[in-house]
Amino acid sequence: MEKETPQPERMMTTAVLVIGTGGAGLRAAIELSEQGVQVLAVGKRRKHDAHTTLAAGGINAALGTMDPEDSWQQHAADTLRESYMLADPHIVEIVAKNAAQGIDDLDRWGMPFAREEDGRISQRFFGAHLYRRTCYSGDYTGLEIQRTLLRRAQELQVPIIDSVYITRLLVADGRIFGAYGFDIVDGTPVVIHADAVILAAGGHTRIWRHTSSRRDENTGDSFRLAALAGARIRDAELVQFHPSGLLEPSDAAGTLVSEAARGEGGVLRNSEGERFMERYDPVRKELSTRDRVALANYTEITEGRGTEKGGVYLDVSHLPREQILEKLPRVYRNLIDMQMLDITKEPIEVAPTAHYSMGGVWVSADEHRTGVDGLWAIGEAASGLHGANRLGGNSLIELLVYGRLTGGDAAQYVQGLTEVKRDPAMVHEAREEMQALLTGGGEESPRLLQRQLRDLMTEHAGVVRSEEGLLEGLRKLAELETRAGHVTAHPDIAGFDDLAHAFDLYGSLLAARATLESALERRETRGCHNRSDFPEQDDALKGNMVWSPSTGVVFEPVAEAPEWLNKLANEWIDDSPEGKLAE
């Protein structure tokens, strides 16, 4: 029997629509509201539980409160160097230069930063930073940032709807005029007319089996929305794998064990009991950078020295119980809750886990415009800052800096508009796409196809890639894309989650294709991207893989950095672990 179509469509109008209610989206919405521009923020998961809340370690700015010799220029140099010179130097400069204002904004709005006895904001080392420049709030920094931004948005009476799933951006003659979606609770189709859209809907790390993202976030929504609207995707292949994700339980595979566990003295051992990091980085050992530790873990597992479940052991049981309870309270509690494992007595089984999309939508440096008139992208949805390795603490400051700058640019844009064209045919196309999923007779399940896609990406585009593996991944992907044409969503009494899963699948398939095709073209090993058939870095590939559905992959050389920045970035840095937390 044909399902009833949810009707009528709910119509909404705003000057600027922000898609995503995490830190990036909220900061942009706050800026627009402070400038007197009408704004609406929508998201597909509860605003108090956005992905930003999972960020633990801290947020970077060269305040010099602990090390007066620090500077924004040095912050920029550290960022560019650790990107393996693939970051856009202008974006790097903007973030470093504006970081202090981002911290000041949070401070003014009541962010409970850790402080020294004299009231200064405390700052600590993270890996690959020359100075102490990471501000923090215990090991809940992201959660406190989200709370702070939500409080400020509430003070400004910013309207936030956190149960709307956006399925399409609406474009007429190359210019944005809104978005189409549905209410996840009751399935009501939603048409939002907007003069501009800011895309802040995260990355694509959920397309791997082991990931620190939860199952309904970072599924590639931003990639698909932007690409179908005419934007391009940059560096989709550059994905940061965190060294230590849990293997169990299966529905939480990839949940992070904080790098503070290694920072406090935890050691990594293989199934033979060997402390293997001595072989990969004899000086820094467990306090080496993320890409190196993840590669070491992966190598131990693939060469047969992993555990029966496909991991390695992270052991803190030799540390004093009091130290673990004081310094690693969240890790201790999570392992008790998830596995009934007492980490003061037993080691933790971990494996590399997809953690952060360093690539994303192509954006201009100054204001993060996408090349589509009236569309911006920020946060993990965007690209350009991190290159082939992200510094810990940089993702949170990026949200603050470009949330403010992009919000300001979007405000100027809509205030200068004299007319907006709308195309009913685009609304009709989005409506038909959604209804086809609800009324189709296909027997494919979006959840099952998502699982198979995650297995595909883990096998063929994980920590180490090869041409043979990537081509096989593309072959399997083509089969999944065909089967996805026969997906039918089955809403039930609990809501329209199954329809959301179907669109998550669509986003994941597009993101997977962008990733596989870009990884195939990057025939080198650089940072997070390891090619077993091209183990050396290639200077000719110092640039970005830019992908779109119509053109495939196009290589674009990265912009040259100013002489002063190049000089600083190439200077020697003391990267010994002495006194430093892991990245």
Side-chain angles (χ1 to χ4, degrees):
M1 190 173 109
E2 196 171 275
K3 300 178 180 68
E4 290 185 15
T5 301
Q7 289 293 347
E9 289 175 333
R10 186 185 310 160
M11 303 287 293
M12 289 184 269
T13 302
T14 184
V16 181
L17 172 66
V18 176
I19 302 173
T21 55
L26 289 175
R27 182 62 187 90
I30 288 167
E31 186 66 23
L32 285 155
S33 183
E34 288 186 338
Q35 295 202 21
V37 174
Q38 183 189 28
V39 59
L40 168 65
V42 301
K44 66 175 184 176
R45 67 178 302 128
R46 298 302 178 191
K47 58 181 180 283
H48 293 285
D49 194 32
H51 190 64
T52 303
T53 63
L54 300 185
I59 178 170
N60 298 333
L63 304 181
T65 59
M66 311 297 286
D67 295 319
E69 59 270 44
D70 197 10
S71 65
W72 71 260
Q73 290 91 341
Q74 188 63 55
H75 182 190
D78 292 352
T79 299
L80 183 63
R81 179 185 57 254
E82 290 305 311
S83 79
Y84 289 76
M85 310 307 282
L86 290 193
D88 181 322
H90 193 32
I91 289 177
V92 169
E93 189 174 334
I94 287 171
V95 169
K97 190 181 292 187
N98 287 275
Q101 182 171 344
I103 299 297
D104 183 61
D105 289 340
L106 289 176
D107 194 25
R108 286 186 295 109
W109 298 332
M111 171 82 180
F113 284 113
R115 294 182 183 272
E116 299 297 297
E117 288 184 3
D118 61 4
R120 289 174 296 149
I121 291 177
S122 299
Q123 295 191 281
R124 61 186 179 192
F125 273 122
F126 260 23
H129 291 271
L130 186 58
Y131 299 110
R132 289 174 288 180
R133 67 168 68 98
T134 303
C135 312
Y136 59 97
S137 184
D139 63 352
Y140 290 98
T141 308
L143 177 62
E144 291 295 357
I145 288 174
Q146 184 75 3
R147 287 172 172 169
T148 300
L149 295 175
L150 280 170
R151 274 198 312 272
R152 180 58 181 155
Q154 189 173 18
E155 290 171 2
L156 295 167
Q157 298 182 313
V158 173
I160 300 172
I161 306 174
D162 54 7
S163 61
V164 168
Y165 192 117
I166 299 299
T167 64
R168 285 277 184 141
L169 298 179
L170 301 175
V171 184
D173 293 341
R175 178 186 285 183
I176 291 288
F177 70 92
Y180 193 91
F182 65 95
D183 188 298
I184 293 174
V185 177
D186 61 18
T188 303
V190 177
V191 181
I192 305 174
H193 286 147
D195 300 339
V197 170
I198 297 175
L199 189 56
H204 69 313
T205 50
R206 187 61 201 170
I207 68 175
W208 280 268
R209 185 192 305 138
H210 295 140
T211 170
S212 58
S213 296
R214 294 163 296 190
R215 69 178 191 174
D216 58 347
E217 62 190 12
N218 291 324
T219 52
D221 309 35
S222 296
F223 284 35
R224 180 173 186 266
L225 290 171
L228 294 185
R232 301 178 299 154
I233 309 301
R234 175 168 54 191
D235 294 339
E237 80 282 11
L238 300 181
V239 175
Q240 187 169 67
F241 284 83
H242 192 288
S244 51
L246 294 179
L247 295 170
E248 297 180 309
S250 60
D251 63 346
T255 299
L256 294 189
V257 176
S258 171
E259 285 171 311
R262 302 201 315 276
E264 291 297 327
V267 298
L268 289 163
R269 301 188 188 279
N270 58 27
S271 59
E272 300 168 7
E274 178 189 17
R275 186 180 179 184
F276 58 83
M277 280 308 300
E278 294 177 343
R279 186 162 60 250
Y280 297 93
D281 191 337
V283 176
R284 293 183 292 184
K285 302 183 181 71
E286 284 81 8
L287 293 185
S288 188
T289 55
R290 276 185 185 162
D291 55 334
R292 294 184 190 180
V293 181
L295 180 59
N297 289 357
Y298 174 87
T299 303
E300 292 297 308
I301 295 164
T302 56
E303 292 186 354
R305 296 183 295 277
T307 65
E308 286 186 13
K309 295 172 184 172
V312 294
Y313 293 113
L314 173 56
D315 192 3
V316 296
S317 63
H318 56 285
L319 301 176
R321 177 180 175 84
E322 298 73 24
Q323 181 182 351
I324 292 172
L325 296 180
E326 179 187 351
K327 301 289 189 177
L328 305 170
R330 185 155 62 173
V331 177
Y332 177 80
R333 188 182 64 248
N334 282 348
L335 268 296
I336 289 287
D337 291 345
M338 290 183 176
Q339 299 181 7
M340 289 302 291
L341 180 77
D342 184 348
I343 65 172
T344 67
K345 300 177 180 177
E346 299 177 78
I348 313 161
E349 281 189 75
V350 298
T353 182
H355 178 52
Y356 190 88
S357 301
M358 293 181 290
V361 180
W362 181 95
V363 288
S364 61
D366 287 310
E367 62 288 287
H368 273 29
R369 295 190 179 201
T370 64
V372 178
D373 207 8
L375 178 64
W376 290 256
I378 53 175
E380 198 171 351
S383 63
L385 176 63
H386 309 295
N389 189 43
R390 174 178 69 84
L391 280 180
N394 265 1
S395 57
L396 289 177
I397 196 59
E398 180 187 15
L399 310 181
L400 274 294
V401 170
Y402 275 110
R404 178 177 66 83
L405 295 177
T406 296
D409 192 56
Q412 287 187 349
Y413 172 86
V414 297
Q415 288 166 342
L417 284 179
T418 56
E419 60 180 8
V420 175
K421 180 180 178 181
R422 295 173 183 157
D423 184 356
M426 288 296 299
V427 179
H428 176 75
E429 184 179 324
R431 181 187 300 124
E432 289 298 302
E433 177 182 57
M434 192 175 96
Q435 293 309 316
L437 283 169
L438 292 168
T439 60
E443 296 181 352
E444 294 285 1
S445 161
R447 270 286 188 232
L448 289 175
L449 292 185
Q450 279 181 319
R451 174 64 62 88
Q452 291 176 34
L453 178 63
R454 291 199 293 271
D455 289 344
L456 179 165
M457 293 300 291
T458 299
E459 182 179 356
H460 299 295
V463 176
V464 177
R465 296 96 180 256
S466 69
E467 180 166 347
E468 181 183 6
L470 292 166
L471 289 173
E472 178 64 11
L474 284 166
R475 186 190 66 76
K476 292 179 181 178
L477 178 63
E479 294 177 358
L480 290 181
E481 289 169 334
T482 299
R483 292 173 60 190
H486 303 284
V487 162
T488 299
H490 299 280
D492 56 29
I493 194 169
F496 279 69
D497 285 346
D498 204 44
L499 183 58
H501 298 159
F503 279 107
D504 282 347
L505 173 65
Y506 285 173
S508 295
L509 288 168
L510 183 142
R513 179 160 290 281
T515 302
L516 289 167
E517 292 183 357
S518 299
L520 189 61
E521 292 301 316
R522 186 168 290 286
R523 294 178 175 88
E524 66 166 349
T525 289
R526 186 187 292 260
C528 66
H529 179 72
N530 298 283
R531 283 285 296 263
S532 59
D533 46 352
F534 292 95
E536 301 299 323
Q537 186 169 303
D538 184 351
D539 288 343
L541 290 174
K542 182 186 168 186
N544 310 114
M545 300 298 171
V546 183
W547 180 93
S548 75
S550 58
T551 65
V553 181
V554 176
F555 177 77
E556 295 186 357
V558 74
E560 280 300 318
E563 186 177 346
W564 68 265
L565 181 52
N566 255 333
K567 183 174 182 295
L568 263 183
N570 286 298
E571 281 183 357
W572 177 84
I573 180 175
D574 172 17
D575 57 2
S576 76
E578 191 70 30
K580 300 182 183 181
L581 286 179
E583 182 182 358

